[in-house]
Amino acid sequence: MHHQHHSHVLQLDIQGTPQAWISLEHAALHIATDSVAWVDGDGPLATLRGGFNVVRGQQSIIDVHPIMALHGASRVNLFDVVPAISKLKLFRRDRMTCAYCGQRFQERDLQCEHAVPRSRGGRWTWMNLVTACCVCNGRKSDRTPEEAGMPLLYLPYVPSRFEDFLLEGRHIRADVHDWLASRLPKGSRLS
């Protein structure tokens, strides 16, 4: 999982809550404007050459760390924000495992399954969606798990803010992965 050209920096608020994945350039801008409160990770992700300082007679060098916290309070309480759902994030939450037969599948053989069917008012929410293979999804059809006699092998849950960043990060550096993973709630499937 170590990618040299990994340009995504994890931006946190000053309390250490993940805010966004940002580019190296975006990160360098925060550093140049003295917006960074503290950094973390196993050392710099990249070293960028900045402007030439005439007084010191040298070019400034900017070390961009993989995790950086910015000064100032967050405008919204990020823990109140429910992470957006995407197919891939749902599959990753459920470890690419069908909620009905318990087997692991490739992404192309999985579907987002409404536990309570849409026709019964089941909504597109983290708590009503599970990962299902095509066969089980077809078999369950338009019934609830109870009606179909197909109990869920695991329960859906809403990912925490830290989990959400793990779910959406494509190639997360090992140190950033560990930093996020160490902050997961107890019982998280991702830990």
Side-chain angles (χ1 to χ4, degrees), residues 166-190:
L166 277 176
L167 290 172
E168 70 180 26
R170 292 300 162 93
H171 303 294
I172 304 183
R173 250 176 60 135
D175 53 348
V176 180
H177 185 282
D178 294 346
W179 189 92
L180 283 164
S182 70
R183 287 158 178 79
L184 293 181
K186 291 200 181 5
S188 164
R189 269 181 222 142
L190 304 180

PDB file of all heavy atoms in Angstrom, residues 166-190:
ATOM      1  N   LEU A 166     -11.311   6.051   6.008  1.00  0.00           N
ATOM      2  CA  LEU A 166     -10.669   4.798   5.607  1.00  0.00           C
ATOM      3  C   LEU A 166     -11.428   4.165   4.446  1.00  0.00           C
ATOM      4  O   LEU A 166     -10.832   3.602   3.534  1.00  0.00           O
ATOM      5  CB  LEU A 166     -10.642   3.805   6.776  1.00  0.00           C
ATOM      6  CG  LEU A 166      -9.511   3.962   7.774  1.00  0.00           C
ATOM      7  CD1 LEU A 166      -9.699   2.970   8.914  1.00  0.00           C
ATOM      8  CD2 LEU A 166      -8.158   3.727   7.118  1.00  0.00           C
ATOM      9  N   LEU A 167     -12.762   4.239   4.495  1.00  0.00           N
ATOM     10  CA  LEU A 167     -13.581   3.619   3.453  1.00  0.00           C
ATOM     11  C   LEU A 167     -13.384   4.289   2.107  1.00  0.00           C
ATOM     12  O   LEU A 167     -13.448   3.654   1.068  1.00  0.00           O
ATOM     13  CB  LEU A 167     -15.075   3.696   3.829  1.00  0.00           C
ATOM     14  CG  LEU A 167     -15.528   2.816   4.991  1.00  0.00           C
ATOM     15  CD1 LEU A 167     -16.962   3.159   5.367  1.00  0.00           C
ATOM     16  CD2 LEU A 167     -15.426   1.345   4.637  1.00  0.00           C
ATOM     17  N   GLU A 168     -13.155   5.603   2.115  1.00  0.00           N
ATOM     18  CA  GLU A 168     -13.082   6.279   0.821  1.00  0.00           C
ATOM     19  C   GLU A 168     -11.666   6.431   0.300  1.00  0.00           C
ATOM     20  O   GLU A 168     -11.472   6.672  -0.873  1.00  0.00           O
ATOM     21  CB  GLU A 168     -13.787   7.631   0.878  1.00  0.00           C
ATOM     22  CG  GLU A 168     -13.121   8.679   1.693  1.00  0.00           C
ATOM     23  CD  GLU A 168     -13.910   9.995   1.683  1.00  0.00           C
ATOM     24  OE1 GLU A 168     -15.130   9.977   1.482  1.00  0.00           O
ATOM     25  OE2 GLU A 168     -13.267  11.028   1.882  1.00  0.00           O
ATOM     26  N   GLY A 169     -10.659   6.301   1.172  1.00  0.00           N
ATOM     27  CA  GLY A 169      -9.281   6.477   0.714  1.00  0.00           C
ATOM     28  C   GLY A 169      -8.856   5.326  -0.170  1.00  0.00           C
ATOM     29  O   GLY A 169      -8.965   4.180   0.223  1.00  0.00           O
ATOM     30  N   ARG A 170      -8.367   5.622  -1.360  1.00  0.00           N
ATOM     31  CA  ARG A 170      -7.982   4.552  -2.271  1.00  0.00           C
ATOM     32  C   ARG A 170      -6.665   3.919  -1.852  1.00  0.00           C
ATOM     33  O   ARG A 170      -6.581   2.778  -1.486  1.00  0.00           O
ATOM     34  CB  ARG A 170      -7.853   5.094  -3.700  1.00  0.00           C
ATOM     35  CG  ARG A 170      -9.172   5.504  -4.299  1.00  0.00           C
ATOM     36  CD  ARG A 170     -10.120   4.300  -4.341  1.00  0.00           C
ATOM     37  NE  ARG A 170     -11.492   4.707  -4.511  1.00  0.00           N
ATOM     38  CZ  ARG A 170     -12.094   4.812  -5.687  1.00  0.00           C
ATOM     39  NH1 ARG A 170     -11.444   4.551  -6.788  1.00  0.00           N
ATOM     40  NH2 ARG A 170     -13.356   5.163  -5.758  1.00  0.00           N
ATOM     41  N   HIS A 171      -5.598   4.704  -1.894  1.00  0.00           N
ATOM     42  CA  HIS A 171      -4.272   4.170  -1.552  1.00  0.00           C
ATOM     43  C   HIS A 171      -3.779   4.962  -0.370  1.00  0.00           C
ATOM     44  O   HIS A 171      -3.114   5.961  -0.531  1.00  0.00           O
ATOM     45  CB  HIS A 171      -3.302   4.343  -2.716  1.00  0.00           C
ATOM     46  CG  HIS A 171      -3.789   3.702  -3.965  1.00  0.00           C
ATOM     47  ND1 HIS A 171      -3.939   2.344  -4.092  1.00  0.00           N
ATOM     48  CD2 HIS A 171      -4.196   4.234  -5.135  1.00  0.00           C
ATOM     49  CE1 HIS A 171      -4.398   2.070  -5.304  1.00  0.00           C
ATOM     50  NE2 HIS A 171      -4.568   3.202  -5.950  1.00  0.00           N
ATOM     51  N   ILE A 172      -4.132   4.513   0.806  1.00  0.00           N
ATOM     52  CA  ILE A 172      -3.736   5.262   1.990  1.00  0.00           C
ATOM     53  C   ILE A 172      -2.370   4.776   2.437  1.00  0.00           C
ATOM     54  O   ILE A 172      -2.140   3.574   2.526  1.00  0.00           O
ATOM     55  CB  ILE A 172      -4.759   5.064   3.125  1.00  0.00           C
ATOM     56  CG1 ILE A 172      -6.151   5.462   2.649  1.00  0.00           C
ATOM     57  CG2 ILE A 172      -4.360   5.862   4.337  1.00  0.00           C
ATOM     58  CD1 ILE A 172      -7.209   5.375   3.728  1.00  0.00           C
ATOM     59  N   ARG A 173      -1.479   5.717   2.670  1.00  0.00           N
ATOM     60  CA  ARG A 173      -0.163   5.362   3.203  1.00  0.00           C
ATOM     61  C   ARG A 173      -0.329   4.582   4.498  1.00  0.00           C
ATOM     62  O   ARG A 173      -1.239   4.862   5.282  1.00  0.00           O
ATOM     63  CB  ARG A 173       0.607   6.649   3.506  1.00  0.00           C
ATOM     64  CG  ARG A 173       1.755   6.895   2.567  1.00  0.00           C
ATOM     65  CD  ARG A 173       2.413   8.215   2.832  1.00  0.00           C
ATOM     66  NE  ARG A 173       2.967   8.389   4.152  1.00  0.00           N
ATOM     67  CZ  ARG A 173       4.166   8.907   4.387  1.00  0.00           C
ATOM     68  NH1 ARG A 173       4.934   9.268   3.383  1.00  0.00           N
ATOM     69  NH2 ARG A 173       4.598   9.095   5.602  1.00  0.00           N
ATOM     70  N   ALA A 174       0.573   3.646   4.761  1.00  0.00           N
ATOM     71  CA  ALA A 174       0.447   2.791   5.945  1.00  0.00           C
ATOM     72  C   ALA A 174       0.355   3.603   7.235  1.00  0.00           C
ATOM     73  O   ALA A 174      -0.433   3.288   8.121  1.00  0.00           O
ATOM     74  CB  ALA A 174       1.639   1.830   6.015  1.00  0.00           C
ATOM     75  N   ASP A 175       1.146   4.687   7.350  1.00  0.00           N
ATOM     76  CA  ASP A 175       1.127   5.443   8.607  1.00  0.00           C
ATOM     77  C   ASP A 175      -0.209   6.164   8.803  1.00  0.00           C
ATOM     78  O   ASP A 175      -0.728   6.254   9.910  1.00  0.00           O
ATOM     79  CB  ASP A 175       2.306   6.428   8.703  1.00  0.00           C
ATOM     80  CG  ASP A 175       2.414   7.364   7.505  1.00  0.00           C
ATOM     81  OD1 ASP A 175       1.738   7.132   6.487  1.00  0.00           O
ATOM     82  OD2 ASP A 175       3.193   8.331   7.579  1.00  0.00           O
ATOM     83  N   VAL A 176      -0.791   6.648   7.695  1.00  0.00           N
ATOM     84  CA  VAL A 176      -2.082   7.339   7.797  1.00  0.00           C
ATOM     85  C   VAL A 176      -3.183   6.327   8.096  1.00  0.00           C
ATOM     86  O   VAL A 176      -4.081   6.570   8.906  1.00  0.00           O
ATOM     87  CB  VAL A 176      -2.394   8.102   6.491  1.00  0.00           C
ATOM     88  CG1 VAL A 176      -3.731   8.822   6.590  1.00  0.00           C
ATOM     89  CG2 VAL A 176      -1.276   9.112   6.193  1.00  0.00           C
ATOM     90  N   HIS A 177      -3.081   5.159   7.470  1.00  0.00           N
ATOM     91  CA  HIS A 177      -4.047   4.085   7.733  1.00  0.00           C
ATOM     92  C   HIS A 177      -4.026   3.729   9.217  1.00  0.00           C
ATOM     93  O   HIS A 177      -5.073   3.611   9.865  1.00  0.00           O
ATOM     94  CB  HIS A 177      -3.699   2.863   6.879  1.00  0.00           C
ATOM     95  CG  HIS A 177      -4.710   1.761   7.001  1.00  0.00           C
ATOM     96  ND1 HIS A 177      -4.747   0.912   8.068  1.00  0.00           N
ATOM     97  CD2 HIS A 177      -5.748   1.413   6.200  1.00  0.00           C
ATOM     98  CE1 HIS A 177      -5.760   0.064   7.924  1.00  0.00           C
ATOM     99  NE2 HIS A 177      -6.380   0.346   6.804  1.00  0.00           N
ATOM    100  N   ASP A 178      -2.837   3.553   9.766  1.00  0.00           N
ATOM    101  CA  ASP A 178      -2.714   3.167  11.177  1.00  0.00           C
ATOM    102  C   ASP A 178      -3.252   4.259  12.090  1.00  0.00           C
ATOM    103  O   ASP A 178      -3.870   3.987  13.115  1.00  0.00           O
ATOM    104  CB  ASP A 178      -1.243   2.881  11.536  1.00  0.00           C
ATOM    105  CG  ASP A 178      -0.729   1.641  10.795  1.00  0.00           C
ATOM    106  OD1 ASP A 178      -1.564   0.892  10.244  1.00  0.00           O
ATOM    107  OD2 ASP A 178       0.490   1.438  10.757  1.00  0.00           O
ATOM    108  N   TRP A 179      -2.991   5.516  11.721  1.00  0.00           N
ATOM    109  CA  TRP A 179      -3.455   6.649  12.529  1.00  0.00           C
ATOM    110  C   TRP A 179      -4.985   6.647  12.590  1.00  0.00           C
ATOM    111  O   TRP A 179      -5.587   6.789  13.648  1.00  0.00           O
ATOM    112  CB  TRP A 179      -2.936   7.953  11.917  1.00  0.00           C
ATOM    113  CG  TRP A 179      -3.156   9.166  12.776  1.00  0.00           C
ATOM    114  CD1 TRP A 179      -2.295   9.693  13.697  1.00  0.00           C
ATOM    115  CD2 TRP A 179      -4.317  10.022  12.795  1.00  0.00           C
ATOM    116  NE1 TRP A 179      -2.859  10.811  14.282  1.00  0.00           N
ATOM    117  CE2 TRP A 179      -4.083  11.034  13.750  1.00  0.00           C
ATOM    118  CE3 TRP A 179      -5.526  10.016  12.086  1.00  0.00           C
ATOM    119  CZ2 TRP A 179      -5.018  12.034  14.032  1.00  0.00           C
ATOM    120  CZ3 TRP A 179      -6.454  11.009  12.372  1.00  0.00           C
ATOM    121  CH2 TRP A 179      -6.204  12.011  13.322  1.00  0.00           C
ATOM    122  N   LEU A 180      -5.626   6.455  11.431  1.00  0.00           N
ATOM    123  CA  LEU A 180      -7.092   6.414  11.384  1.00  0.00           C
ATOM    124  C   LEU A 180      -7.614   5.170  12.104  1.00  0.00           C
ATOM    125  O   LEU A 180      -8.563   5.243  12.885  1.00  0.00           O
ATOM    126  CB  LEU A 180      -7.576   6.409   9.933  1.00  0.00           C
ATOM    127  CG  LEU A 180      -7.523   7.754   9.197  1.00  0.00           C
ATOM    128  CD1 LEU A 180      -7.648   7.536   7.689  1.00  0.00           C
ATOM    129  CD2 LEU A 180      -8.627   8.692   9.681  1.00  0.00           C
ATOM    130  N   ALA A 181      -6.981   4.030  11.839  1.00  0.00           N
ATOM    131  CA  ALA A 181      -7.461   2.763  12.401  1.00  0.00           C
ATOM    132  C   ALA A 181      -7.394   2.762  13.926  1.00  0.00           C
ATOM    133  O   ALA A 181      -8.245   2.186  14.600  1.00  0.00           O
ATOM    134  CB  ALA A 181      -6.651   1.592  11.830  1.00  0.00           C
ATOM    135  N   SER A 182      -6.395   3.465  14.479  1.00  0.00           N
ATOM    136  CA  SER A 182      -6.247   3.480  15.941  1.00  0.00           C
ATOM    137  C   SER A 182      -7.345   4.307  16.607  1.00  0.00           C
ATOM    138  O   SER A 182      -7.504   4.278  17.820  1.00  0.00           O
ATOM    139  CB  SER A 182      -4.880   4.043  16.332  1.00  0.00           C
ATOM    140  OG  SER A 182      -4.845   5.438  16.047  1.00  0.00           O
ATOM    141  N   ARG A 183      -8.113   5.047  15.799  1.00  0.00           N
ATOM    142  CA  ARG A 183      -9.179   5.888  16.338  1.00  0.00           C
ATOM    143  C   ARG A 183     -10.567   5.355  16.022  1.00  0.00           C
ATOM    144  O   ARG A 183     -11.557   6.047  16.201  1.00  0.00           O
ATOM    145  CB  ARG A 183      -9.011   7.312  15.787  1.00  0.00           C
ATOM    146  CG  ARG A 183      -7.830   8.005  16.430  1.00  0.00           C
ATOM    147  CD  ARG A 183      -7.278   9.165  15.610  1.00  0.00           C
ATOM    148  NE  ARG A 183      -6.165   9.788  16.346  1.00  0.00           N
ATOM    149  CZ  ARG A 183      -4.939   9.300  16.400  1.00  0.00           C
ATOM    150  NH1 ARG A 183      -4.628   8.182  15.772  1.00  0.00           N
ATOM    151  NH2 ARG A 183      -4.001   9.933  17.085  1.00  0.00           N
ATOM    152  N   LEU A 184     -10.650   4.124  15.556  1.00  0.00           N
ATOM    153  CA  LEU A 184     -11.954   3.571  15.220  1.00  0.00           C
ATOM    154  C   LEU A 184     -12.720   3.215  16.486  1.00  0.00           C
ATOM    155  O   LEU A 184     -12.130   2.871  17.507  1.00  0.00           O
ATOM    156  CB  LEU A 184     -11.788   2.296  14.384  1.00  0.00           C
ATOM    157  CG  LEU A 184     -11.191   2.495  12.989  1.00  0.00           C
ATOM    158  CD1 LEU A 184     -11.108   1.153  12.284  1.00  0.00           C
ATOM    159  CD2 LEU A 184     -12.019   3.464  12.179  1.00  0.00           C
ATOM    160  N   PRO A 185     -14.053   3.273  16.402  1.00  0.00           N
ATOM    161  CA  PRO A 185     -14.840   2.859  17.558  1.00  0.00           C
ATOM    162  C   PRO A 185     -14.665   1.361  17.821  1.00  0.00           C
ATOM    163  O   PRO A 185     -14.373   0.604  16.888  1.00  0.00           O
ATOM    164  CB  PRO A 185     -16.280   3.169  17.145  1.00  0.00           C
ATOM    165  CG  PRO A 185     -16.263   3.292  15.664  1.00  0.00           C
ATOM    166  CD  PRO A 185     -14.871   3.688  15.258  1.00  0.00           C
ATOM    167  N   LYS A 186     -14.857   0.955  19.057  1.00  0.00           N
ATOM    168  CA  LYS A 186     -14.740  -0.463  19.387  1.00  0.00           C
ATOM    169  C   LYS A 186     -15.780  -1.236  18.596  1.00  0.00           C
ATOM    170  O   LYS A 186     -16.896  -0.796  18.423  1.00  0.00           O
ATOM    171  CB  LYS A 186     -14.994  -0.668  20.882  1.00  0.00           C
ATOM    172  CG  LYS A 186     -13.875  -0.081  21.709  1.00  0.00           C
ATOM    173  CD  LYS A 186     -13.849  -0.688  23.091  1.00  0.00           C
ATOM    174  CE  LYS A 186     -12.743  -0.101  23.963  1.00  0.00           C
ATOM    175  NZ  LYS A 186     -11.986   1.007  23.371  1.00  0.00           N
ATOM    176  N   GLY A 187     -15.382  -2.404  18.103  1.00  0.00           N
ATOM    177  CA  GLY A 187     -16.320  -3.232  17.367  1.00  0.00           C
ATOM    178  C   GLY A 187     -16.428  -2.866  15.897  1.00  0.00           C
ATOM    179  O   GLY A 187     -17.220  -3.454  15.181  1.00  0.00           O
ATOM    180  N   SER A 188     -15.614  -1.912  15.443  1.00  0.00           N
ATOM    181  CA  SER A 188     -15.659  -1.578  14.021  1.00  0.00           C
ATOM    182  C   SER A 188     -15.191  -2.766  13.207  1.00  0.00           C
ATOM    183  O   SER A 188     -14.255  -3.466  13.585  1.00  0.00           O
ATOM    184  CB  SER A 188     -14.733  -0.399  13.737  1.00  0.00           C
ATOM    185  OG  SER A 188     -14.480  -0.309  12.349  1.00  0.00           O
ATOM    186  N   ARG A 189     -15.840  -2.993  12.063  1.00  0.00           N
ATOM    187  CA  ARG A 189     -15.415  -4.080  11.185  1.00  0.00           C
ATOM    188  C   ARG A 189     -14.105  -3.778  10.488  1.00  0.00           C
ATOM    189  O   ARG A 189     -13.521  -4.651   9.875  1.00  0.00           O
ATOM    190  CB  ARG A 189     -16.461  -4.279  10.095  1.00  0.00           C
ATOM    191  CG  ARG A 189     -17.480  -5.276  10.501  1.00  0.00           C
ATOM    192  CD  ARG A 189     -18.499  -5.499   9.407  1.00  0.00           C
ATOM    193  NE  ARG A 189     -19.754  -5.555  10.098  1.00  0.00           N
ATOM    194  CZ  ARG A 189     -20.894  -5.054   9.660  1.00  0.00           C
ATOM    195  NH1 ARG A 189     -20.946  -4.467   8.499  1.00  0.00           N
ATOM    196  NH2 ARG A 189     -21.960  -5.162  10.374  1.00  0.00           N
ATOM    197  N   LEU A 190     -13.685  -2.523  10.520  1.00  0.00           N
ATOM    198  CA  LEU A 190     -12.487  -2.154   9.775  1.00  0.00           C
ATOM    199  C   LEU A 190     -11.221  -2.305  10.596  1.00  0.00           C
ATOM    200  O   LEU A 190     -10.127  -2.210  10.094  1.00  0.00           O
ATOM    201  CB  LEU A 190     -12.579  -0.697   9.304  1.00  0.00           C
ATOM    202  CG  LEU A 190     -13.801  -0.358   8.460  1.00  0.00           C
ATOM    203  CD1 LEU A 190     -13.764   1.108   8.075  1.00  0.00           C
ATOM    204  CD2 LEU A 190     -13.836  -1.217   7.213  1.00  0.00           C
TER     205      LEU A 190
END
